[in-house]
Amino acid sequence: MTSPGGQPFPYGPQQDPQYGYGQVPPPPPARARRSALTWILAGVSVVCVLLLVAGGIWWFTSRKADDASGPVPGQLTSEFPTAPSPAWTVHPSDVGASKFFTTNFTSAQYGSPGGSTDGKFVLTGAEVGGRTTVLSVDASGSTWVPDHSLACADQVVAGRTACRTSQSDDSRIFLVDLASRSVNAGVSATDRQFGMVAYNGEAAFRISSASVMRIGPSEVEWSQPVSGPDGPGGDFSGALATPSLVAFNHGGGVYVASAQNGKLLYSYTGSLPQILPDGGMVVANSEPGVLAPDTVIRPDGSVTRAGTGTIGAPTVVSRGLEQAIVIDGVLRDGAGEARWKASVSASTNNRTVAAPLVSSRITVLETGSGYIGVNTSTGERMWTNNSTVGRVGSNGGTTALTDGRYLIYPSGTNLVAIDTDTGAQAWSIPSPVGADGTVGALLALGDTFVVVGKDRIVGYKATGGAAGAPGAKSGTAGKNSSDDSYYTRCGSKPVFTPQKFRTESGGLVVTMKITATCPGGDALTSSGTSVTISDSTGLIATGTFDFAANPVGVPKPGNGSEEKKSGTTVDLLFKQGQFFRTPDTLPAPSSGGSGASGSGGHSYLVDCVQPDGSGKAKVPAPSDGPIAASGPGPQTGLNPMSGLSALRIQADSDKAFILGSLNNRWVAQLSSKRVGLVADGRTWDEKAILDEFLALRLRFADVRLLYSDEWPVFSYKGWWVSVAAATFPGPDEANQWCRSNGFDRDHCFAKLVSSTASPEGSTRYW
């Protein structure tokens, strides 16, 4: 007899299976599933407003890779509207190392921390057992240290990088695959003179003071002599490559050449160029005492001049703006023409040093004293934030990451996020790095941002849902700005309009716009106000809120600014047991407004019971946190089969993700339950199974649900199986993840998820 894990029961078929294990003797044939089962909520005596949610809102649903409204390269793929907590930490001792340091050769000589990423893996240097090598970390915190002595390129592309041996008598260049955790046999570069390595995703480049070589997976493709400019000398070395260009610096002499044939395109004395989002490079003027334009080398090999001043190569850009350059605070197009007349640096008497975000709507510039938000079309300054900005790494570069809406950067001893729409601080947390507190790198790793320090690497998971295109105006707005005006209770109920759903550690947060129906505005001041959100498939969330302790003022319609006209926006937190759907299962809203049928969208019904109350209230401040519902979730008054609808919706939603990201990969199975199972001291029904899944989802941020009937790796039918979304190269690593996260052998084990494999060999218990 086998379980959904595909293995015999460890305790025998006559005993109750343990949490995480699967099957007892097969259950009776499953009843046909209903296509839509309705949740029934008892005790609702007043219906406030039927809402058909307006379109144009960013929802946390999965996006296709080619979706023009989705994230762009270099951007975090999920949002950070509220302060995150560390999801995982890697210390040198965890991987047998004595310290971490950057893969950049010059900085590594001084033990400086740092790292590089392709958006899926972080790569940093490590000293293990007295040998120099590298460490790879993925978004789940899983690590890998190659069993080689390696000095690698300061670049990762599509899960790969190139490395040279760190042994002086070995000239081989290796291709290192971080995804498969493998190192190829290496290609002899013949020239054993010390040299740097660059990697562009197609080939490796070994660069010394005498030559540059392009090295493929199995051979040296070409070698060209180097005749670059004489530099001032010193130990400065570095190399960079894009699909079209390769650049290197040795002792201050720099050249840029074609990555296809090694033809020299431009040489100068100075530091390495900055890479542009389109794959080109830009070089600051390096002629001492000469006010000359900066130089741009485009991917096609053309060399042009554009502006004069400090270069801020954009880090994250909207689609269509990949050729943009910021020079001395002025945005310039691909031809080097200025899009703005005035220099932001000149207008603020402060030098622009970086451009972490250039979107179609707003551009964020970093100056010596903080950040400036600028209208991308006009150059008009929209806001200024003069918080202290800490440098990242010894090589400079942008200090900030962005999810498209929020900018995250080190400030003093903290990590800070500001809203790119307003410049207002969204949150601040202590910086996690130890030792001397230096942030060696701040990297975007999908839905995780990673802080690399000397003695630790720390990952922070997103607190919001999927990110939109950079600079998206709606984003994950928390509240309206503070308003000193006070409003009183209205005789007719306000309109509640869900704007956005997200999960955080406490539960489901619904950003709710509240619009007054009285000309004088409204005030929510009653304790015990119940709010219920549902759609045609069932209940989404229900909870009771104490607005007496958390009063909410709603401005009068049509009075004051456009922001006030749109109502008050507050976050309502539905805790575990009070919500029944995750944001990724909620469809896009209708395009019509309140009371409209809309087109091509989804309708939501908000019910509420608002007891009598009195008093005045003002609009909540932006810093106010979510208002949490009180009491347990509904225990009675629900259709006993209502959980089945939510389970079915969740499994359907997760199936596409599992096929795309988890298929034929080892994961950690956290639970398998079927209706009627007696385990862990209870009899499991649909609601209990759903509650358990949601609790796991909140704990680990990305847990997915499978229905055993739909996956051939399970032997029996009718089981709901929860798996963590982190993948592993084998079962031993998955079981180690179980141990490191505090599970025992009865509550977590390795499972191969596959749409084609059989149950045999698909499960590994500890």
Side-chain angles (χ1 to χ4, degrees), residues 154-155 198-199 207 238-242 245-248 272-275 281:
D154 207 25
Q155 295 173 279
Y199 182 67
I207 305 159
L240 294 171
T242 71
L245 306 172
V246 59
F248 94 101
L272 279 173
Q274 297 182 51
I275 295 178
M281 296 182 179

Side-chain angles (χ1 to χ4, degrees), residues 86-90 119-122 136-144 181 445-450 457-461 662 665-668 700-702 724-729 733-734 736-738 740-741:
W88 48 262
T89 301
V90 178
K120 293 185 177 180
F121 299 93
V122 166
S136 168
V137 186
D138 67 16
S140 70
S142 180
T143 61
W144 175 58
R181 300 187 172 187
L445 202 60
D447 65 350
T448 303
F449 78 79
V450 177
I457 303 171
V458 184
Y460 292 84
K461 284 289 186 183
L662 307 184
R665 304 292 296 274
W666 284 94
V667 300
F700 294 105
D702 202 0
T727 60
F728 305 92
E733 290 86 350
Q736 180 56 42
W737 182 93
C738 292
S740 64
N741 281 279

Side-chain angles (χ1 to χ4, degrees), residues 229-240:
D230 293 330
D235 60 358
F236 299 103
S237 295
L240 294 171

Side-chain angles (χ1 to χ4, degrees), residues 9-99:
F9 278 121
Y11 304 105
Q14 300 306 314
Q15 301 183 37
D16 289 339
Q18 301 297 303
Y19 179 104
Y21 291 112
Q23 191 71 283
V24 292
R31 288 171 289 182
R33 292 194 303 269
R34 301 177 187 178
S35 60
L37 295 169
T38 306
W39 292 80
I40 303 171
L41 181 66
V44 177
S45 58
V46 179
V47 176
C48 290
V49 184
L50 174 65
L51 299 178
L52 296 169
V53 181
I57 299 169
W58 294 106
W59 284 77
F60 292 6
T61 53
S62 299
R63 292 186 173 91
K64 296 180 180 179
D66 59 352
D67 188 343
S69 66
V72 298
Q75 178 186 343
L76 287 157
T77 59
S78 293
E79 293 182 333
F80 287 79
T82 57
S85 299
W88 48 262
T89 301
V90 178
H91 296 93
S93 59
D94 296 334
V95 294
S98 58
K99 59 182 178 180

Side-chain angles (χ1 to χ4, degrees), residues 541-758:
T542 181
T544 301
F545 297 86
D546 186 359
F547 290 123
N550 303 278
V552 176
V554 185
K556 50 182 122 179
N559 181 58
S561 68
E562 289 300 321
E563 183 179 31
K564 291 182 181 179
K565 290 179 184 180
S566 65
T568 295
T569 302
V570 297
D571 285 349
L572 301 180
L573 171 63
F574 296 86
K575 295 181 287 189
Q576 177 62 34
Q578 298 169 338
F579 74 99
F580 312 96
R581 297 270 293 278
T582 57
D584 51 312
T585 69
L586 296 168
S590 301
S591 59
S594 177
S597 59
S599 61
H602 196 73
S603 300
Y604 291 89
L605 174 69
V606 176
D607 299 338
C608 68
V609 176
Q610 187 174 218
D612 291 337
S614 60
K616 297 181 179 181
K618 67 176 184 177
V619 177
S623 59
D624 290 348
I627 301 172
S630 59
Q635 305 300 310
T636 61
L638 297 177
N639 184 325
M641 286 295 293
S642 58
L644 180 58
S645 177
L647 288 168
R648 185 68 262 164
I649 292 169
Q650 186 69 53
D652 288 344
S653 174
D654 286 346
K655 190 170 185 179
F657 173 88
I658 295 168
L659 287 170
S661 301
L662 307 184
N663 199 26
N664 297 313
R665 304 292 296 274
W666 284 94
V667 300
Q669 179 173 315
L670 307 180
S671 171
S672 56
K673 296 292 188 298
R674 65 170 173 80
V675 175
L677 174 69
V678 179
D680 287 339
R682 66 187 300 181
T683 301
W684 293 82
D685 60 13
E686 291 89 353
K687 185 176 184 300
I689 296 171
L690 177 65
D691 285 347
E692 181 192 64
F693 168 80
L694 294 173
L696 291 168
R697 182 72 168 254
L698 291 181
R699 179 181 175 189
F700 294 105
D702 202 0
V703 172
R704 301 291 172 160
L705 187 69
L706 303 85
Y707 190 57
S708 66
D709 298 35
E710 300 166 346
W711 299 89
V713 289
F714 299 113
S715 298
Y716 287 90
K717 308 300 183 183
W719 290 80
W720 301 97
V721 181
S722 299
V723 299
T727 60
F728 305 92
D732 292 339
E733 290 86 350
N735 281 331
Q736 180 56 42
W737 182 93
C738 292
R739 295 185 186 94
S740 64
N741 281 279
F743 288 101
D744 59 37
R745 65 186 298 273
D746 295 339
H747 292 75
C748 183
F749 56 84
K751 179 66 184 177
L752 178 69
V753 174
S754 175
S755 59
T756 56
S758 68

